[in-house]
Structures are given as C-alpha cells and as structure tokens.
Amino acid sequence: MTEKYFEITKVQLKHNAWQHLLVSILLLAASPFVLGISNLDAAQSAKVLETYVALVVILIFVPVFLPEQDRDLWDVIKARYTKTTTVYLTRILISFVFSSLLTLLFLLVMKAGNCEMEPAKYYFGTMAEVIAFGGLGIFAYSVSGNLIAGYMIPLGYYAAGISAGYKYMQKLYPFGMLTDYETKYWILAAGLVLMGCGIMLFRRRRCLQLH
C-alpha cells in the first residue's frame, strides 16, 4: 500500500508538480521587488498574504488532472488497479503540503522583516483562501476539461472580491482577514466541497470518455 502512494507521489513530482512549484517559488521570491515585505503594519501584511501569496500558491493546486491528458499514463493507472480517487487525493495532498510550506516560509520571512501580524491567525486565513481558490480551480477544470479555465475561474472570483467587496459577497468574501474572519471558515468549507465535487465529476467524465 505504501509503495503505491510512493509511486504516485514520485510520478507527480517528476512529471507535473515541480514545474508549478518552481513558478510559485520564483513569483514569491520576486515579491520583495514588487510589493515590499518589510516593516508592514497588520493591514498591509494581511493584504500581501491575501491578495498575492494566496493567488500565487494556487498554481500548485489547479493542475491535479493534468497528467490524465496523457492516455498512456491513464492506462498505467488502470492496469495497476489503483483507484483514480486515490490518485487524485494523493496529488491534492502533495499540493497542500507544498502550499502549506511555501505559505509558512513566506510568513516567517515577513515576520523576520518586522511585519506586524498574528502568525497563527494570518497563516490559517491565508491557507483557507488558498484552498478556496484551489478548490474552485479544480472544480472548474473538472467541468471544462481545460487547465486555462481552471485558472481563469479563480481569477474571476479574485476580481469579484476586489470589485464587489464584502457588502455583496458576504460570507464568501475572500479577503476578510481583518474585516470578518468568519469568512475564512466559510470559504475553507466551500473549497473542500468544490475539490470533492471536482474529483468525482472528473473521474466520471474521464471514465465515460474511455469506455
């Protein structure tokens, strides 16, 4: 059993995850030149984490189904009698681990740069937003079968959050770190539900295509 998960992880890292991880790292590393991440007050720190870090890190989440574009890889998975749900959940877990580590590292760098924040609160709030964006992207990808759509829909949600604000989005407002922290629990739950629905929908669509 352990060997199966190790194989899934190895293939994901070798053929898919490292590319998106590298882009995320480069974008986060460029943030001091774009935003400035030192000596920020609490509101500025929250803004950086919510409007930049969370958006960058979803690059790691959305391509969960990308390897299935390769018919040979799909045949290998079926031949090994591995449940596709297990494969997708393992990939999502890999994405979650990398996202968590990158977000934590970035937050520690900000803290070392004398930025004001409540570390635990800001970390959870940022990760809730990452999962919300990631879940929406995974669901959009599963519905459309298109990776670009998987990125564009979360970007639309992001833009709606900026333009509409809390007044219109209420509990689904993505940037509520300092205004209504309860929104973080709502978007976290929504993200998890969307991920689950995305996995089931893509699995069903893919099986129908191959039979």
Side-chain angles (χ1 to χ4, degrees):
M1 180 68 71
T2 303
E3 183 179 350
K4 177 172 64 176
Y5 291 115
F6 176 77
E7 184 66 23
I8 295 171
T9 302
K10 184 175 73 173
V11 170
Q12 178 72 351
L13 293 176
K14 182 178 180 180
H15 297 290
N16 185 32
W18 74 267
Q19 302 165 359
H20 303 91
L21 177 62
L22 179 60
V23 173
S24 294
I25 291 173
L26 291 175
L27 288 173
L28 291 177
S31 61
F33 306 103
V34 179
L35 303 169
I37 55 172
S38 299
N39 302 308
L40 303 179
D41 62 26
Q44 291 170 328
S45 297
K47 184 176 181 180
V48 168
L49 290 168
E50 288 186 305
T51 62
Y52 188 77
V53 176
L55 188 65
V56 168
V57 174
I58 66 165
L59 291 171
I60 304 172
F61 259 105
V62 178
V64 169
F65 307 125
L66 188 59
E68 269 58 60
Q69 305 302 318
D70 184 340
R71 174 62 183 264
D72 293 334
L73 178 58
W74 180 267
D75 290 339
V76 169
I77 292 173
K78 291 178 65 180
R80 293 184 177 180
Y81 302 103
T82 303
K83 291 183 178 180
T84 53
T85 302
T86 300
V87 175
Y88 299 148
L89 288 175
T90 303
R91 290 177 186 164
I92 286 176
L93 180 60
I94 294 169
S95 298
F96 177 78
V97 170
F98 282 132
S99 299
S100 300
L101 291 175
L102 285 180
T103 301
L104 178 60
L105 180 60
F106 195 91
L107 189 145
L108 291 175
V109 170
M110 290 181 65
K111 190 66 177 175
N114 199 34
C115 293
E116 295 180 14
M117 66 176 73
E118 297 178 51
K121 176 182 177 180
Y122 279 41
Y123 181 69
F124 178 85
T126 304
M127 285 306 302
E129 188 179 340
V130 168
I131 291 173
F133 285 153
L136 182 58
I138 288 171
F139 183 75
Y141 191 176
S142 70
V143 171
S144 65
N146 187 291
L147 179 62
I148 301 301
Y151 285 124
M152 293 304 295
I153 299 301
L155 284 175
Y157 176 47
Y158 178 93
I162 292 177
S163 60
Y166 178 79
K167 178 180 178 180
Y168 295 100
M169 301 189 73
Q170 295 295 310
K171 296 305 181 183
L172 294 180
Y173 180 58
F175 310 126
M177 191 85 79
L178 298 180
T179 54
D180 181 3
Y181 198 76
E182 187 178 336
T183 58
K184 296 301 182 181
Y185 300 102
W186 282 89
I187 64 174
L188 172 63
L192 292 173
V193 169
L194 287 168
M195 281 185 190
C197 291
I199 288 173
M200 291 187 291
L201 180 59
F202 188 85
R203 179 179 179 276
R204 180 175 177 77
R205 290 180 67 248
R206 190 63 175 166
C207 289
L208 290 174
Q209 289 172 358
L210 296 177
H211 290 87

